[in-house]
Amino acid sequence: MSYPARVVVDLAAIRSNAGALAERAGSASVLAVVKADAYGHGLVPAAKAALEGGATWLGTAQLDEALALRAAGVTAPVLSWLYAPGARFADALRQGVDLSVGAPWMLAEILDTVREIGHPARLHVKVDTGLGRNGVMPVELPAVLDAALAAQSEGLCQVVGIWSHLAWADDPGHPTVRAQAEVFADAVALAEGKGARLEVRHLANSAATLTDPSMYYDLVRPGLAVYGLSPVPHLGAPADYGLRPAMRVEAELALAKAVPAGQGVSYAHAYTTPRDTVLGLVPIGYADGVPRSASGSADAWGGPVQVGGRRLGVAGRVCMDQFVLDLGPDASEASGDTVVLFGAGERGEPTAEDWARVVGTISYEIVTRFGSALPRTYQGEQA
Ligand SMILES: *Cc1c(COP(=O)(O)O)cnc(C)c1O
């Protein structure tokens, strides 16, 4: 073990979360969102675990990730939705990746590519029902549908889906949720009225999947919940939804050393030891994903860790590749001891949600930043 820290991903947890979501979704299918390297959990292993657990579709923002799934032998339906002009549509078509149409130019460029290579497209028309992000605005929708269905009658494509994304699903009673659902229902009716035979209508992210069955339609698209985190921490913890966090981040103490009272700690001495004590040096920092805003001060610990069965917090500034703990005068820890930054929370360790709260962000950002920076190992592979 050369790097003194790692991300440990529990694939059994991902399987079990996908199973719990599939059960909750009832007759709707589950598309596991594996964008951003599966929220830092590792694209291919996480995608395979989600499929083993009960997801039947996968979704990525980037086409490159969809193609990486195909290159790894994943044959399940994959939808990809975010691109700029010049994207690898030809590769996507040849590899049987379903494509989202979120703007008129996307349809035009995809159809140009279909004509060029003679390989038809499976399209999901994305409607901007109110998020104000990617998607066809309702006023543009009739023209986009007409063009797509005309191309379908020429054999160039199949319009298999109508879909959209919610702005405020983490507040289930928010009026925008109902308003978006109404615009969505109109879009579906418009497409079907024009003769589209839709395979899947889909709207729900993790929050809607956990809180609002009226949003399920044919397919739900959870991301965060697949990795065992709650998108609605103010409403429920993962366990309340039958989910288990899949990511653990741990490091080895590089050093435990005695220092006197009044010792300034780390840059700018944001923390000063109030008494003779033992400092522990943890050899990861902001380059490894530890948010610099998790620094501690004289008044408050920073980001929480578990060491020797105790909860401590970052003392002083988080540096690029290290931070310090005040282990206390009676510390028994030694270099090489394990420090857990976060995990499932089942053994008293902090969770990604705890880090998010300290730093003022969401657990999505915590897992993606550690997952993309640190070496990753896996446990819980299927026998
Ligand atoms: C990221 C994303 C999701 C999943 O969101 P979660 O909140 O992680 O469940 C679903 N659909 C789209 C379009 C997304 O971009």
Side-chain angles (χ1 to χ4, degrees):
M1 199 78 74
S2 63
Y3 207 81
R6 68 211 59 88
V7 164
V8 183
V9 175
D10 181 359
L11 296 172
I14 293 178
R15 277 198 304 278
S16 125
N17 297 332
L21 292 163
E23 190 169 324
R24 182 178 289 274
S27 61
S29 303
V30 174
L31 178 153
V33 177
V34 293
K35 67 191 181 191
D37 205 13
Y39 292 44
H41 294 68
L43 176 68
V44 171
K48 288 183 171 170
L51 292 171
E52 287 160 3
T56 52
W57 286 68
L58 298 170
T60 71
Q62 302 298 336
L63 270 182
D64 284 1
E65 291 193 311
L67 294 169
L69 290 168
R70 286 287 182 259
V74 173
T75 56
V78 177
L79 170 64
S80 186
W81 56 76
L82 189 60
Y83 7 81
R88 300 168 65 187
F89 291 128
D91 293 330
L93 296 172
R94 288 195 188 96
Q95 294 300 322
V97 172
D98 284 21
L99 294 172
S100 171
V101 170
W105 79 258
M106 295 181 194
L107 180 63
E109 194 165 321
I110 292 167
L111 291 177
D112 283 350
T113 310
V114 169
R115 288 191 191 91
E116 215 173 283
I117 69 168
H119 201 298
R122 283 170 48 90
L123 302 178
H124 300 234
V125 176
K126 186 169 196 183
V127 187
D128 188 340
T129 56
L131 177 58
R133 208 174 70 176
N134 195 0
V136 176
M137 292 301 284
V139 294
E140 311 172 290
L141 185 61
V144 167
L145 285 172
D146 287 344
L149 291 169
Q152 175 168 307
S153 60
E154 286 178 60
L156 299 176
C157 65
Q158 258 180 291
V159 177
V160 299
I162 295 286
W163 73 303
S164 189
H165 194 38
L166 295 165
W168 226 309
D170 53 339
D171 184 358
H174 197 276
T176 60
V177 177
R178 188 52 45 207
Q180 284 195 257
E182 282 168 17
V183 178
F184 186 69
D186 289 347
V188 167
L190 182 70
E192 289 176 341
K194 287 177 180 292
R197 282 193 303 278
L198 302 174
E199 220 172 88
V200 282
R201 304 159 297 165
H202 46 112
L203 180 59
N205 57 4
S206 291
T209 303
L210 297 180
T211 64
D212 191 349
S214 76
M215 301 285 154
Y216 288 179
Y217 296 93
D218 308 304
L219 184 66
V220 296
R221 297 190 317 271
L224 192 75
V226 172
Y227 310 102
L229 297 169
S230 172
V232 287
H234 51 295
L235 299 178
D240 297 327
Y241 300 107
L243 305 172
R244 282 165 53 211
M247 182 184 288
R248 186 168 82 243
V249 173
E250 57 183 35
E252 276 82 49
L253 269 186
L255 178 66
K257 71 175 179 188
V259 299
Q263 172 72 54
V265 174
S266 190
Y267 292 129
H269 290 176
Y271 178 78
T272 302
T273 57
R275 54 185 170 174
D276 294 359
T277 190
V278 177
L279 296 180
L281 182 65
V282 183
I284 57 173
Y286 57 78
D288 303 289
V290 185
R292 187 167 177 275
S293 54
S295 296
S297 69
D299 309 316
W301 294 126
V305 304
Q306 186 188 46
V307 54
R310 302 184 287 154
R311 276 272 190 123
L312 294 174
V314 175
R317 293 267 169 91
V318 173
C319 309
M320 187 180 292
D321 34 34
Q322 49 197 301
F323 65 84
V324 177
L325 301 171
D326 184 344
L327 298 170
D330 307 318
S332 56
E333 287 84 9
S335 50
D337 284 6
T338 299
V339 178
V340 178
L341 279 77
F342 61 86
E346 288 159 1
R347 294 192 199 98
E349 74 276 33
T351 61
E353 182 59 38
D354 292 331
W355 275 81
R357 209 173 310 114
V358 165
V359 173
T361 185
I362 52 178
S363 59
Y364 296 74
E365 188 181 354
I366 298 296
V367 289
T368 50
R369 59 187 302 148
F370 282 98
S372 58
L374 282 174
R376 227 173 5 228
T377 64
Y378 292 94
Q379 61 184 38
E381 281 93 347
Q382 202 162 53

